[in-house]
Each structure stands twice: as C-alpha cells, then as structure tokens.
Amino acid sequence: QVQLVESGGGLVQPGGSLRLSCTASGIDFSRYDMGWFRQAPGTQRESVATINTVDRPVFYKDSVKGRFIISRDNAKNTMYLQMNNLKPEDTAVYYCMTGSGSPITSWGPGTRVAVSS
C-alpha cells in the first residue's frame, strides 16, 4: 500500500522536545525529497522543513530554525523531525509529504502536537 504514516506527536510543556517520525511504504523512499508540514487550527497548512534525498536539509521555516532538525534514514524508509525548545505556537497537526514525482497524492493522518503548560 502506497502511504505515509506520521507518529510521535503528543502533549508537551513549553521548552520540551518531541521526535516525529514519518514512515513510507509502497514507494522507493530514497528517490524523493521529503518535507514536514503543519496545520494549526484555523490556518492553512505550511511547510516546516524539507530534506533532500541524501539527508541534507534544504529548508527550515524561520520560526523553527535552531530548534528543529529534519533527518532521514533511507534504509528504514523513515524521515524524522526532532523538535526542541517547543513553543505554544508550534501546536499543530504535523504531516509529511514527498517531493514531486512520487505516487503519493494524498496526505496521511498526521500526528498532533500540543505545547501547553
């Protein structure tokens, strides 16, 4: 089955950390750039970070620079987002997606991150 599944979200206090995972199935994961996106209530989905096929980050949203780290393990068909020093404004549902050219055309279920004291 061709799909992306996100995991690792949860409730954390401000200043805390979470590590999100995105596992792909049914595609040749190593061929595609990958990205993390998020959508907070009442807002549009936005790009948070992207990574190329050889595990090099190519984009971070300004507000997460220095706090979030994107990485991938092609042998495990998995991408990660290490989120440190979390802030309430990071609260959102986080999604992953491939770059262009992959057979994946729909978003996965996402994983919810809530930052609150």
Side-chain angles (χ1 to χ4, degrees):
Q1 186 174 2
V2 176
Q3 64 178 1
L4 298 170
V5 178
E6 304 90 349
S7 62
L11 173 63
V12 63
Q13 292 185 340
S17 298
L18 285 173
R19 188 195 196 201
L20 307 184
S21 298
C22 166
T23 301
S25 58
I27 65 169
D28 186 355
F29 180 77
S30 65
R31 289 183 59 191
Y32 305 105
D33 294 349
M34 295 292 298
W36 283 101
F37 299 77
R38 68 187 182 188
Q39 187 169 19
T43 70
Q44 292 188 334
R45 196 170 350 229
E46 62 181 5
S47 178
V48 175
T50 59
I51 191 166
N52 69 12
T53 59
V54 292
D55 196 23
R56 289 185 179 172
V58 294
F59 168 78
Y60 285 107
K61 180 179 172 60
D62 283 347
S63 62
V64 309
K65 286 179 180 177
R67 301 189 297 121
F68 290 10
I69 301 172
I70 188 172
S71 63
R72 66 191 292 165
D73 185 338
N74 288 340
K76 296 182 179 180
N77 288 353
T78 300
M79 175 179 65
Y80 305 98
L81 186 68
Q82 177 67 44
M83 305 188 297
N84 301 318
N85 189 22
L86 282 159
K87 302 177 179 181
E89 52 263 41
D90 296 317
T91 295
V93 179
Y94 284 70
Y95 303 88
C96 60
M97 181 50 72
T98 63
S100 61
S102 91
I104 294 180
T105 57
S106 59
W107 296 94
T111 187
R112 188 173 301 274
V113 172
V115 185
S116 175
S117 54

